[in-house]
Short mmCIF file of all heavy atoms in Angstrom, two decimals:
data_model
loop_
_atom_site.label_atom_id
_atom_site.label_comp_id
_atom_site.label_asym_id
_atom_site.label_seq_id
_atom_site.Cartn_x
_atom_site.Cartn_y
_atom_site.Cartn_z
N LYS K 1 -1.74 -0.99 15.93
CA LYS K 1 -2.48 0.27 15.94
C LYS K 1 -1.66 1.33 15.22
O LYS K 1 -0.44 1.42 15.40
CB LYS K 1 -2.72 0.70 17.39
CG LYS K 1 -3.56 1.94 17.52
CD LYS K 1 -3.90 2.36 18.93
CE LYS K 1 -3.14 1.75 20.04
NZ LYS K 1 -3.42 2.35 21.35
N ILE K 2 -2.34 2.15 14.40
CA ILE K 2 -1.65 3.22 13.68
C ILE K 2 -1.20 4.29 14.67
O ILE K 2 -2.00 4.83 15.42
CB ILE K 2 -2.56 3.85 12.61
CG1 ILE K 2 -2.89 2.82 11.53
CG2 ILE K 2 -1.88 5.06 11.98
CD1 ILE K 2 -3.86 3.31 10.47
N GLU K 3 0.10 4.56 14.69
CA GLU K 3 0.68 5.59 15.54
C GLU K 3 0.81 6.92 14.82
O GLU K 3 0.66 7.97 15.41
CB GLU K 3 2.07 5.15 16.02
CG GLU K 3 2.04 4.13 17.12
CD GLU K 3 1.68 4.75 18.45
OE1 GLU K 3 2.31 5.73 18.86
OE2 GLU K 3 0.74 4.23 19.08
N ALA K 4 1.15 6.85 13.51
CA ALA K 4 1.35 8.08 12.74
C ALA K 4 1.05 7.82 11.27
O ALA K 4 1.25 6.72 10.78
CB ALA K 4 2.79 8.56 12.89
N LEU K 5 0.55 8.85 10.61
CA LEU K 5 0.24 8.80 9.18
C LEU K 5 0.93 9.96 8.49
O LEU K 5 0.99 11.06 9.03
CB LEU K 5 -1.26 8.93 8.94
CG LEU K 5 -2.15 7.81 9.44
CD1 LEU K 5 -3.60 8.26 9.46
CD2 LEU K 5 -2.03 6.60 8.56
N ARG K 6 1.41 9.73 7.28
CA ARG K 6 1.95 10.81 6.46
C ARG K 6 1.42 10.63 5.05
O ARG K 6 1.61 9.58 4.44
CB ARG K 6 3.48 10.77 6.43
CG ARG K 6 4.06 11.96 5.66
CD ARG K 6 5.55 11.87 5.47
NE ARG K 6 5.83 10.90 4.41
CZ ARG K 6 6.89 10.12 4.37
NH1 ARG K 6 7.77 10.13 5.34
NH2 ARG K 6 7.06 9.28 3.37
N LYS K 7 0.73 11.63 4.56
CA LYS K 7 0.17 11.55 3.21
C LYS K 7 1.25 11.83 2.19
O LYS K 7 2.22 12.53 2.47
CB LYS K 7 -0.98 12.53 3.06
CG LYS K 7 -2.12 12.18 3.99
CD LYS K 7 -3.32 13.00 3.76
CE LYS K 7 -4.33 12.54 4.80
NZ LYS K 7 -5.62 12.96 4.65
N ALA K 8 1.07 11.30 1.01
CA ALA K 8 2.03 11.52 -0.08
C ALA K 8 2.00 12.98 -0.51
O ALA K 8 0.96 13.63 -0.47
CB ALA K 8 1.68 10.62 -1.25
N ASP K 9 3.15 13.48 -0.90
CA ASP K 9 3.26 14.84 -1.41
C ASP K 9 4.03 14.77 -2.73
O ASP K 9 5.26 14.66 -2.73
CB ASP K 9 3.98 15.74 -0.42
CG ASP K 9 3.99 17.20 -0.84
OD1 ASP K 9 3.54 17.51 -1.96
OD2 ASP K 9 4.43 18.03 -0.03
N GLU K 10 3.29 14.80 -3.83
CA GLU K 10 3.91 14.65 -5.14
C GLU K 10 4.88 15.77 -5.45
O GLU K 10 5.88 15.56 -6.14
CB GLU K 10 2.84 14.55 -6.22
CG GLU K 10 2.05 13.27 -6.15
CD GLU K 10 1.01 13.16 -7.25
OE1 GLU K 10 1.17 13.82 -8.30
OE2 GLU K 10 0.03 12.43 -7.05
N SER K 11 4.61 16.98 -4.95
CA SER K 11 5.51 18.10 -5.24
C SER K 11 6.89 17.89 -4.61
O SER K 11 7.90 18.34 -5.13
CB SER K 11 4.91 19.41 -4.74
OG SER K 11 4.79 19.40 -3.33
N LYS K 12 6.94 17.18 -3.47
CA LYS K 12 8.22 16.89 -2.81
C LYS K 12 8.76 15.52 -3.19
O LYS K 12 9.86 15.16 -2.82
CB LYS K 12 8.05 16.95 -1.29
CG LYS K 12 7.73 18.33 -0.77
CD LYS K 12 7.59 18.31 0.73
CE LYS K 12 7.23 19.70 1.25
NZ LYS K 12 7.01 19.68 2.70
N GLY K 13 7.93 14.73 -3.89
CA GLY K 13 8.35 13.40 -4.29
C GLY K 13 8.35 12.39 -3.16
O GLY K 13 9.10 11.42 -3.19
N THR K 14 7.50 12.61 -2.15
CA THR K 14 7.43 11.67 -1.03
C THR K 14 6.21 10.77 -1.16
O THR K 14 5.17 11.18 -1.67
CB THR K 14 7.37 12.41 0.33
OG1 THR K 14 6.21 13.24 0.34
CG2 THR K 14 8.62 13.24 0.55
N PHE K 15 6.36 9.57 -0.69
CA PHE K 15 5.27 8.60 -0.67
C PHE K 15 4.49 8.73 0.62
O PHE K 15 4.99 9.28 1.60
CB PHE K 15 5.82 7.17 -0.77
CG PHE K 15 6.44 6.84 -2.08
CD1 PHE K 15 7.82 6.86 -2.24
CD2 PHE K 15 5.66 6.51 -3.17
CE1 PHE K 15 8.40 6.55 -3.45
CE2 PHE K 15 6.23 6.20 -4.39
CZ PHE K 15 7.61 6.22 -4.53
N GLY K 16 3.29 8.18 0.64
CA GLY K 16 2.55 8.09 1.88
C GLY K 16 3.25 7.09 2.80
O GLY K 16 3.94 6.18 2.34
N ALA K 17 3.09 7.27 4.09
CA ALA K 17 3.74 6.38 5.04
C ALA K 17 2.91 6.28 6.31
O ALA K 17 2.06 7.13 6.57
CB ALA K 17 5.14 6.89 5.38
N LEU K 18 3.13 5.22 7.06
CA LEU K 18 2.49 5.09 8.36
C LEU K 18 3.40 4.32 9.30
O LEU K 18 4.28 3.58 8.87
CB LEU K 18 1.13 4.44 8.25
CG LEU K 18 1.05 2.94 7.98
CD1 LEU K 18 -0.21 2.40 8.64
CD2 LEU K 18 0.96 2.69 6.51
N THR K 19 3.18 4.54 10.57
CA THR K 19 3.88 3.82 11.63
C THR K 19 2.85 3.03 12.39
O THR K 19 1.81 3.56 12.78
CB THR K 19 4.60 4.80 12.57
OG1 THR K 19 5.51 5.60 11.81
CG2 THR K 19 5.37 4.06 13.65
N VAL K 20 3.14 1.74 12.60
CA VAL K 20 2.22 0.85 13.31
C VAL K 20 2.89 0.38 14.59
O VAL K 20 4.05 -0.03 14.58
CB VAL K 20 1.84 -0.36 12.42
CG1 VAL K 20 1.02 -1.37 13.20
CG2 VAL K 20 1.09 0.10 11.18
N LEU K 21 2.17 0.46 15.70
CA LEU K 21 2.63 -0.06 16.99
C LEU K 21 2.06 -1.47 17.13
O LEU K 21 0.84 -1.65 17.23
CB LEU K 21 2.16 0.83 18.14
CG LEU K 21 2.53 0.36 19.54
CD1 LEU K 21 4.05 0.35 19.73
CD2 LEU K 21 1.88 1.23 20.59
N GLU K 22 2.93 -2.46 17.12
CA GLU K 22 2.49 -3.85 17.22
C GLU K 22 2.19 -4.20 18.68
O GLU K 22 2.57 -3.47 19.60
CB GLU K 22 3.56 -4.78 16.65
CG GLU K 22 3.79 -4.58 15.16
CD GLU K 22 4.87 -5.48 14.60
OE1 GLU K 22 5.84 -5.80 15.33
OE2 GLU K 22 4.74 -5.86 13.43
N ALA K 23 1.55 -5.33 18.88
CA ALA K 23 1.15 -5.77 20.23
C ALA K 23 2.34 -5.96 21.16
O ALA K 23 2.23 -5.74 22.37
CB ALA K 23 0.36 -7.07 20.13
N ASP K 24 3.50 -6.32 20.61
CA ASP K 24 4.69 -6.53 21.45
C ASP K 24 5.44 -5.24 21.75
O ASP K 24 6.50 -5.25 22.35
CB ASP K 24 5.63 -7.56 20.80
CG ASP K 24 6.14 -7.12 19.44
OD1 ASP K 24 5.79 -6.01 18.99
OD2 ASP K 24 6.88 -7.91 18.82
N GLY K 25 4.87 -4.10 21.32
CA GLY K 25 5.47 -2.80 21.62
C GLY K 25 6.44 -2.28 20.57
O GLY K 25 6.96 -1.17 20.71
N LYS K 26 6.69 -3.06 19.54
CA LYS K 26 7.61 -2.61 18.48
C LYS K 26 6.87 -1.70 17.51
O LYS K 26 5.71 -1.93 17.18
CB LYS K 26 8.16 -3.81 17.71
CG LYS K 26 9.10 -4.66 18.49
CD LYS K 26 9.63 -5.79 17.63
CE LYS K 26 10.51 -6.72 18.43
NZ LYS K 26 10.95 -7.87 17.62
N LYS K 27 7.58 -0.67 17.05
CA LYS K 27 7.02 0.23 16.03
C LYS K 27 7.64 -0.14 14.68
O LYS K 27 8.84 -0.37 14.59
CB LYS K 27 7.34 1.68 16.35
CG LYS K 27 6.59 2.21 17.54
CD LYS K 27 6.87 3.69 17.73
CE LYS K 27 6.08 4.21 18.93
NZ LYS K 27 6.30 5.65 19.12
N LYS K 28 6.79 -0.19 13.67
CA LYS K 28 7.26 -0.47 12.31
C LYS K 28 6.78 0.63 11.39
O LYS K 28 5.63 1.04 11.46
CB LYS K 28 6.73 -1.80 11.80
CG LYS K 28 7.53 -2.98 12.22
CD LYS K 28 7.19 -4.19 11.40
CE LYS K 28 8.06 -5.34 11.85
NZ LYS K 28 7.69 -6.59 11.23
N ASP K 29 7.68 1.10 10.54
CA ASP K 29 7.34 2.11 9.55
C ASP K 29 7.09 1.43 8.21
O ASP K 29 7.81 0.50 7.83
CB ASP K 29 8.49 3.11 9.40
CG ASP K 29 8.71 3.92 10.66
OD1 ASP K 29 7.70 4.32 11.27
OD2 ASP K 29 9.87 4.15 11.03
N PHE K 30 6.08 1.90 7.51
CA PHE K 30 5.72 1.36 6.20
C PHE K 30 5.59 2.49 5.20
O PHE K 30 5.08 3.56 5.53
CB PHE K 30 4.39 0.60 6.27
CG PHE K 30 4.43 -0.56 7.21
CD1 PHE K 30 3.95 -0.43 8.49
CD2 PHE K 30 4.94 -1.77 6.82
CE1 PHE K 30 3.98 -1.49 9.38
CE2 PHE K 30 4.98 -2.85 7.69
CZ PHE K 30 4.50 -2.71 8.97
N GLU K 31 6.06 2.24 4.00
CA GLU K 31 5.92 3.19 2.90
C GLU K 31 4.83 2.67 1.98
O GLU K 31 4.78 1.49 1.67
CB GLU K 31 7.25 3.29 2.16
CG GLU K 31 7.29 4.40 1.16
CD GLU K 31 8.70 4.57 0.60
OE1 GLU K 31 9.02 3.87 -0.37
OE2 GLU K 31 9.45 5.40 1.14
N LEU K 32 3.93 3.57 1.57
CA LEU K 32 2.89 3.18 0.64
C LEU K 32 3.37 3.45 -0.77
O LEU K 32 3.97 4.49 -1.04
CB LEU K 32 1.60 3.98 0.90
CG LEU K 32 0.75 3.44 2.05
CD1 LEU K 32 1.41 3.64 3.36
CD2 LEU K 32 -0.59 4.07 2.02
N ILE K 33 3.13 2.51 -1.65
CA ILE K 33 3.51 2.67 -3.04
C ILE K 33 2.25 2.84 -3.87
O ILE K 33 1.14 2.75 -3.35
CB ILE K 33 4.35 1.46 -3.52
CG1 ILE K 33 3.59 0.15 -3.31
CG2 ILE K 33 5.68 1.43 -2.81
CD1 ILE K 33 4.29 -1.08 -3.84
N SER K 34 2.41 3.11 -5.13
CA SER K 34 1.24 3.38 -5.98
C SER K 34 0.28 2.20 -6.06
O SER K 34 -0.91 2.38 -6.26
CB SER K 34 1.68 3.78 -7.38
OG SER K 34 2.40 2.73 -7.99
N LYS K 35 0.77 0.99 -5.85
CA LYS K 35 -0.08 -0.19 -5.95
C LYS K 35 -0.65 -0.65 -4.60
O LYS K 35 -1.34 -1.64 -4.53
CB LYS K 35 0.69 -1.34 -6.59
CG LYS K 35 1.07 -1.04 -8.03
CD LYS K 35 1.80 -2.18 -8.65
CE LYS K 35 2.17 -1.81 -10.08
NZ LYS K 35 2.84 -2.90 -10.76
N THR K 36 -0.36 0.06 -3.53
CA THR K 36 -0.88 -0.31 -2.22
C THR K 36 -2.40 -0.17 -2.21
O THR K 36 -2.94 0.84 -2.63
CB THR K 36 -0.28 0.59 -1.11
OG1 THR K 36 1.13 0.48 -1.14
CG2 THR K 36 -0.79 0.17 0.26
N ARG K 37 -3.08 -1.18 -1.72
CA ARG K 37 -4.55 -1.17 -1.62
C ARG K 37 -4.93 -1.07 -0.15
O ARG K 37 -4.33 -1.70 0.71
CB ARG K 37 -5.16 -2.44 -2.21
CG ARG K 37 -4.84 -2.63 -3.69
CD ARG K 37 -5.55 -1.57 -4.50
NE ARG K 37 -5.23 -1.69 -5.90
CZ ARG K 37 -4.64 -0.75 -6.61
NH1 ARG K 37 -4.30 0.38 -6.04
NH2 ARG K 37 -4.39 -0.91 -7.88
N VAL K 38 -5.96 -0.25 0.13
CA VAL K 38 -6.43 -0.04 1.49
C VAL K 38 -7.86 -0.54 1.58
O VAL K 38 -8.71 -0.15 0.77
CB VAL K 38 -6.35 1.45 1.89
CG1 VAL K 38 -6.78 1.65 3.33
CG2 VAL K 38 -4.95 2.00 1.67
N PHE K 39 -8.13 -1.41 2.56
CA PHE K 39 -9.44 -2.01 2.71
C PHE K 39 -10.03 -1.70 4.08
O PHE K 39 -9.32 -1.61 5.07
CB PHE K 39 -9.36 -3.54 2.56
CG PHE K 39 -8.89 -3.99 1.21
CD1 PHE K 39 -7.55 -4.30 1.00
CD2 PHE K 39 -9.77 -4.09 0.15
CE1 PHE K 39 -7.10 -4.71 -0.25
CE2 PHE K 39 -9.34 -4.51 -1.10
CZ PHE K 39 -8.00 -4.81 -1.30
N SER K 40 -11.36 -1.59 4.12
CA SER K 40 -12.06 -1.40 5.39
C SER K 40 -12.17 -2.77 6.06
O SER K 40 -11.80 -3.80 5.50
CB SER K 40 -13.45 -0.81 5.14
OG SER K 40 -14.25 -1.75 4.45
N ALA K 41 -12.73 -2.78 7.28
CA ALA K 41 -12.89 -4.03 8.03
C ALA K 41 -13.81 -5.01 7.31
O ALA K 41 -13.70 -6.22 7.50
CB ALA K 41 -13.43 -3.73 9.43
N ASN K 42 -14.73 -4.51 6.47
CA ASN K 42 -15.62 -5.41 5.74
C ASN K 42 -15.13 -5.63 4.30
O ASN K 42 -15.93 -5.92 3.41
CB ASN K 42 -17.06 -4.90 5.77
CG ASN K 42 -17.21 -3.52 5.17
OD1 ASN K 42 -16.23 -2.93 4.73
ND2 ASN K 42 -18.42 -3.01 5.17
N SER K 43 -13.84 -5.47 4.09
CA SER K 43 -13.16 -5.77 2.81
C SER K 43 -13.55 -4.89 1.64
O SER K 43 -13.45 -5.29 0.50
CB SER K 43 -13.36 -7.25 2.44
OG SER K 43 -12.86 -8.07 3.44
N ARG K 44 -14.01 -3.69 1.92
CA ARG K 44 -14.30 -2.73 0.84
C ARG K 44 -13.07 -1.87 0.61
O ARG K 44 -12.39 -1.47 1.56
CB ARG K 44 -15.48 -1.85 1.21
CG ARG K 44 -16.77 -2.59 1.20
CD ARG K 44 -17.87 -1.59 1.18
NE ARG K 44 -18.98 -2.13 0.42
CZ ARG K 44 -20.21 -1.79 0.64
NH1 ARG K 44 -20.50 -0.90 1.56
NH2 ARG K 44 -21.16 -2.32 -0.08
N LEU K 45 -12.83 -1.55 -0.65
CA LEU K 45 -11.71 -0.68 -1.00
C LEU K 45 -12.00 0.74 -0.52
O LEU K 45 -13.06 1.28 -0.79
CB LEU K 45 -11.51 -0.71 -2.52
CG LEU K 45 -10.19 -0.23 -3.06
CD1 LEU K 45 -9.03 -1.03 -2.48
CD2 LEU K 45 -10.17 -0.34 -4.57
#
């Protein structure tokens, strides 16, 4: 489950990022890059 979202800010040079809470309780941070693709549950971009 998404715990936190951060949108990219080109003026500051930061990438988009998100934190995901996994089922076992661990949190993982992810950085989005320019080639990251985001899909809906029915596989639409």
